Amino acid sequence: CGAYQFDLSGTAFGGLALPGKADQLRNVGRLDVQYQRVQCNYRGYSVTFQVDRGSNPYYFAVEIEFENGDGDLGKVEIQQAGTNYFSPMQLSFGATWKFQAPGSNKLQAPFSLRLTTLTSGKTLTAYNVIPANWQPGQTFVSNINF
């Protein structure tokens, strides 16, 4: 395994301490931590897509939530209306993935989104999950989950 770095604010780092020991823990500086990824199980939830508030007719970003299983998306792809292929999206930050329309073309909704997990390589597709009349800030619930 490669090294990972978790950057926490002083408040967050202190919150990991035993009661009354926050300052002592904050003063440790760099700390080696062991962790293990666990599978997610959001019972009763389907994968949910929240359209980023910065999205527009030429740029689309979406936060993906409530994916069961591995919980570690390694690839997200978008299919625009009228096409028979998926285009790769880029990880923006956290659970938000983005796509910029090529050239000066407007994006053509509805969109289908194909999700692939990093660990197991499982893939599923939410067909036409983002409707033609989408707006920034809206949330769309799919009927799929890992």
Side-chain angles (χ1 to χ4, degrees):
C1 288
Y4 293 92
Q5 181 174 326
F6 296 99
D7 288 327
L8 301 175
S9 69
T11 302
F13 198 64
L16 298 173
L18 296 171
K21 304 276 185 171
D23 287 337
Q24 186 179 348
L25 182 60
R26 274 193 287 267
N27 291 329
V28 168
R30 185 171 179 215
L31 186 66
D32 289 329
V33 176
Q34 291 183 350
Y35 71 95
Q36 178 179 354
R37 181 183 291 276
V38 296
Q39 290 202 346
C40 301
N41 186 1
Y42 297 102
R43 291 180 189 195
Y45 288 89
S46 295
V47 175
T48 301
F49 302 92
Q50 183 172 4
V51 179
D52 186 82
R53 295 199 179 277
S55 295
N56 60 58
Y58 303 92
Y59 170 82
F60 180 76
V62 64
E63 181 180 358
I64 303 171
E65 300 177 300
F66 305 122
E67 59 271 15
N68 284 336
D70 298 344
D72 59 346
L73 295 177
K75 182 166 64 170
V76 176
E77 300 164 286
I78 186 170
Q79 182 182 41
Q80 297 183 63
T83 66
N84 60 0
Y85 60 89
F86 283 83
S87 299
M89 297 182 77
Q90 293 179 309
L91 180 60
S92 182
F93 61 91
T96 301
W97 293 76
K98 64 183 179 178
F99 181 75
Q100 180 74 44
S104 60
N105 299 322
K106 284 187 176 183
L107 297 168
Q108 300 298 314
F111 304 136
S112 296
L113 297 172
R114 184 163 59 194
L115 315 176
T116 304
T117 64
L118 183 63
T119 302
S120 66
K122 291 180 183 174
T123 298
L124 56 80
T125 304
Y127 291 100
N128 298 319
V129 68
I130 309 296
N133 61 346
W134 65 269
Q135 294 293 315
Q138 287 183 305
T139 299
F140 301 99
V141 178
S142 72
N143 61 359
I144 60 167
N145 214 327
F146 289 100

